[in-house]
Amino acid sequence: MRAAFCRAPGTLAVEDVPRPTPAAGEVVVRVRHCGICGSDLHWYHGQMVLPVGCPGHEISGEVADAGAGVTSLKAGDAVALEGIASCGSCRYCLAGDYQRCPAVGVVGMTIPGGFADYIKMPARHCFRVPAGVDFATAALAEPLGVAVHAVRLAGLAIGERVLVLGAGTIGLMAVVAARAGGAGEVLVVARRLQQRAAALALGADRVVGDGEAGGVLGDALEAPIDLVIETVGGEADTLDTAVAAARPGGTICLLGAFTRSPAFPALFVLAKELRVIGSFVYGRAGARADFDVVLDLLRRQGAELARRLVTHRFPLESIAEAFRTASDKTTGSIKVTIAA
């Protein structure tokens, strides 16, 4: 089968590798769509460690083979994949917090990912896609899952005011998740015109450019912001904006992958008694996994999400061009996906 590899920053090549075989409790999935994530662009540009194998973690496809003991899935089932693989037996996994598993593997970084024809995964990390949801839409489950988990972890209450910093895919998904979670008003700070348009279409009440963030801070004095969701990461200085915008006693949730340690305005965090939380990926809260919530949202809103977010599609053999397009936002790109 074919699989892509990044041997050095800025370079991607497709190579022939053996097709995986499922062990007990595993499935092999024929990849149909795999999106390029903002974190993928970090390592592509040399800002993070390179993947040890095939990258790609925003994956949808269909089950090709099921290993011994797998009863929840069968060949031909359409599935969306979580981007992690946990041990399944430690205290965190048993509690549903499998994203905190000490032995967790990160798909597309520490274990083989989805920029390939096939991927092997534990069946428990694969979720059956509802009827009517196509593969391009199903691949949005992973970034939407990140946002849903963050909103649940932050404890958003009905009617609260939310500020989302950044309007890449995760930021836009945070708008959707905040709306689904009962936010009374959602404000967004965005850089690109296509991001602003998408944010408004997906439920933001107001969007301002990143050079106009001061207006949001002034507005926050009149109408306090309960929850700030930071999705930019990289080398951004967004923590200053987040802390300034949050109301006393408010919450800041960090979703952006910072590639250096940002300056932390600790005195203001202390004085305002802010709660600052990190949110990694997704897990399970009680009877429903974050992905269960996500796939229900995609069943109802997925077509509009895909229409607004999936701007470019490339075949696997054109992955180098796909990454160049995803890196260059002047192309109008939001979500670039590799489609089989």
Side-chain angles (χ1 to χ4, degrees), residues 150-151 162-166 174 178 227-231 251-255:
V151 168
V162 177
L163 169 64
V164 179
L165 300 178
L227 171 62
V228 181
I229 303 177
E230 197 290 327
T231 73
T251 299
I252 297 171
C253 184
L254 303 181
L255 280 184

Side-chain angles (χ1 to χ4, degrees), residues 170-193:
I170 297 297
L172 294 171
M173 291 303 194
V175 173
V176 176
R179 277 298 183 206
E185 186 176 10
V186 180
L187 311 177
V188 178
V189 176
R191 174 171 294 180
R192 303 290 179 178
L193 291 177

Side-chain angles (χ1 to χ4, degrees), residues 202-221:
L202 295 176
D205 295 282
R206 186 156 64 90
V207 183
V208 301
D210 59 351
E212 305 168 297
V216 172
L217 300 183
D219 186 57
L221 295 175

Side-chain angles (χ1 to χ4, degrees), residues 29-80:
V29 174
R30 173 70 170 100
V31 178
R32 294 302 184 189
H33 272 266
C34 186
I36 297 175
C37 177
S39 60
D40 293 327
L41 296 180
H42 285 320
W43 55 252
Y44 176 73
H45 290 295
Q47 299 163 344
M48 291 174 60
V49 63
L50 294 177
V52 298
C54 174
H57 58 272
E58 299 181 357
I59 306 164
S60 67
E62 56 191 354
V63 176
D65 302 296
V70 175
T71 59
S72 58
L73 296 169
K74 64 182 185 304
D77 283 345
V79 290

Side-chain angles (χ1 to χ4, degrees), residues 144 148 152 180 288-298 300:
L144 183 54
V148 164
R152 295 175 81 175
R288 299 190 79 195
D290 292 318
F291 257 55
D292 290 327
V293 176
V294 163
L295 289 169
D296 191 45
L297 286 173
L298 290 180
R300 292 183 276 119

